[in-house]
Amino acid sequence: MFDLAVFGSLFLTLFVIMDPPGITPIFLALTSGRPAKVQKRMAFQAVCVAGGVIAIFGLLGHQILNYLHVSVPALMIAGGLLLLLIALDLLTGKTDEPKQTKDVNVALVPLGMPLLAGPGAIVSVILAVQRADSVATQVSVWSAILAIHVVLWLVMRYSLLIIRVIKDGGVVLVTRLAGMMLSAIAVQQIINGVTQVIQAS
């Protein structure tokens, strides 16, 4: 009742797309200045949001996109623009200002979506679920999805230990580096979406 090849293939695909090691500096940058308990809660919330979005699109992905008349390239471009706005805030240090609302917003947007549950992960899951034509492959697909979210939660939860080592100055540096990385990811996502639109036309 389990297909190891399907599990391994989807897990590796999602690992590359969702990038648990790469999410660490971005998570540290977006959650800096908060109590450890709040940061741990935000790590859990972000993974829950990502898992919920991925599960919904895994089950109803094509129906949702068709109903909204949204193409996958459009989803990629929109996600890229949203990430770019967040990256610019990280680079300019504006994330230090809105303290009242960012406890909620950061866990939902951008961490939960589109950073973790981005267009690439959503499309990969939609295709994997479609190709799963037996109970064994379905179990393998959903096991891989669960496993990658457990890995993401562990990485973000224990990345909090890094804060104790690098201190405030290190967090500022990590914030700027995260902004640069996130802007590059966003631009690449927009390029990929535009390229797919051009190829389809």
Side-chain angles (χ1 to χ4, degrees), residues 56-106:
I56 290 170
F57 275 94
L59 295 170
L60 305 169
H62 271 294
Q63 294 91 324
I64 292 171
L65 295 181
N66 289 337
Y67 177 76
L68 297 174
H69 303 290
V70 174
S71 65
V72 172
L75 191 65
M76 295 177 73
I77 294 169
L81 289 172
L82 180 58
L83 286 180
L84 188 58
L85 290 173
I86 294 157
L88 292 175
D89 280 347
L90 287 176
L91 285 169
T92 57
K94 290 183 181 176
T95 51
D96 295 336
E97 295 168 10
K99 298 249 180 189
Q100 305 93 314
T101 59
K102 68 178 186 174
D103 281 351
V104 174
N105 290 341
V106 170

Side-chain angles (χ1 to χ4, degrees), residues 102-189:
K102 68 178 186 174
D103 281 351
V104 174
N105 290 341
V106 170
L108 304 178
V109 177
L111 282 174
M113 184 180 181
L115 205 50
L116 296 179
I122 288 171
V123 172
S124 298
V125 168
I126 290 173
L127 295 175
V129 171
Q130 276 190 328
R131 288 194 293 259
D133 53 2
S134 68
V135 174
T137 51
Q138 284 283 353
V139 170
S140 303
V141 164
W142 290 104
S143 296
I145 293 168
L146 178 62
I148 191 64
H149 283 84
V150 170
V151 170
L152 285 165
W153 174 72
L154 289 172
V155 166
M156 286 192 292
R157 189 187 190 286
Y158 291 104
S159 67
L160 303 177
L161 298 174
I162 298 172
I163 293 177
R164 299 174 188 170
V165 177
I166 63 177
K167 307 297 183 186
D168 289 342
V171 170
V172 172
L173 177 61
V174 166
T175 300
R176 300 299 181 264
L177 289 173
M180 290 182 62
M181 287 165 39
L182 198 55
S183 62
I185 292 169
V187 170
Q188 186 62 56
Q189 193 163 293

